[in-house]
Amino acid sequence: MPSKPVPPITIDAVYAAPGYLFRRMQQIAVSIFMEECKAFDLTPVQYAALIAIHTHPGIDATRLSAVIAFDRSTLGSVIERLQAKDFVERRPAPEDKRIKLLYLTKSGAAILRDIIPAVERAQARMLEPLKPADRKALMGLLAQLVDLNNEASRVPLRAEDALEHMGKAP
C-alpha cells in the first residue's frame, strides 16, 4: 500500500491552520480590548474575574478559576492585581479561615459599571468587518467548537460544578 505523499512545508500551510488563526484572533481580540478599555487599566481576564465576582459574591479563587476557565496558579496574580487596585477584597470564610472569599469593593463595582460600554465597543469591533449574518454564524460555530472541545482545554470550563458547591448553580 503506497503511503500518502507528504504535502510541502510552507508558511501558507501555517497561515491556513485553525490553531494559527485562533491564536491570531486572540491577539487581535486582546489588542482591541486593551485599546477600547485603556482608560480602565484592566485586562480581559481581570474583567472576566470582576464580572464573576460581581455575579457570585463570596466566591473563592478555586471556584473562580472554574467559572472563568482560567489557570488557578495564574489567577492568583490576577486577584492580587485586582486587590492592589482596590477592586476586590478577600475575606476569610466563616467556616474555614484558610479559605479567602472574594468580593467587589465599591471601586470595583464602579469600574465594572463604567467599563461596560468600552467592552461592548471592543466586542463589536472584533466582529465589525463581517456581515451581520456571518457574525451570527461565526459566533454560533465558535460557541459550538468551544463547547465540544471543552475537555481538551488545560482549564476546562466548570462553572456549573463550581457554583453548585456554592449553592448557586446558574
Side-chain angles (χ1 to χ4, degrees):
M1 176 193 262
S3 63
K4 278 187 162 181
V6 177
I9 299 171
T10 67
I11 195 67
D12 290 340
V14 172
Y15 293 160
Y20 174 82
L21 292 169
F22 290 143
R23 182 184 66 78
R24 285 289 295 133
M25 192 59 224
Q26 169 64 11
Q27 290 174 319
I28 293 164
V30 169
S31 179
I32 291 171
F33 181 97
M34 297 305 289
E35 186 178 314
E36 288 292 342
C37 301
K38 66 182 164 211
F40 301 96
D41 190 31
L42 283 180
T43 67
V45 173
Q46 290 171 345
Y47 171 74
L50 287 177
I51 290 285
I53 295 165
H54 167 77
T55 306
H56 307 289
I59 194 168
D60 63 78
T62 299
R63 287 183 178 83
L64 178 61
S65 171
V67 167
I68 65 172
F70 198 75
D71 175 84
R72 173 68 178 94
S73 58
T74 310
L75 186 61
S77 62
V78 170
I79 293 168
E80 287 172 11
R81 284 191 291 279
L82 290 173
Q83 196 172 11
K85 293 176 183 183
D86 192 37
F87 295 154
V88 299
E89 63 181 357
R90 294 178 186 179
R91 298 183 204 153
E95 66 282 352
D96 186 344
K97 303 291 184 211
R98 295 171 299 174
I99 297 173
K100 303 299 182 213
L101 306 180
L102 301 165
Y103 297 89
L104 286 186
T105 62
K106 286 183 182 178
S107 299
I111 198 162
L112 197 52
R113 180 189 64 242
D114 295 344
I115 198 174
I116 297 291
V119 171
E120 289 174 353
R121 281 192 309 273
Q123 301 302 316
R125 275 185 60 198
M126 290 171 209
L127 297 175
E128 189 175 9
L130 298 176
K131 295 175 188 166
D134 290 341
R135 293 175 199 159
K136 185 175 181 177
L138 175 64
M139 292 305 296
L141 290 170
L142 281 174
Q144 185 179 2
L145 272 173
V146 168
D147 183 53
L148 294 172
N149 285 305
N150 187 50
E151 297 307 314
S153 173
R154 283 187 9 229
V155 187
L157 181 65
R158 299 271 189 251
E160 290 181 15
D161 295 341
L163 298 175
E164 185 177 287
H165 294 307
M166 288 182 68
K168 300 177 182 179

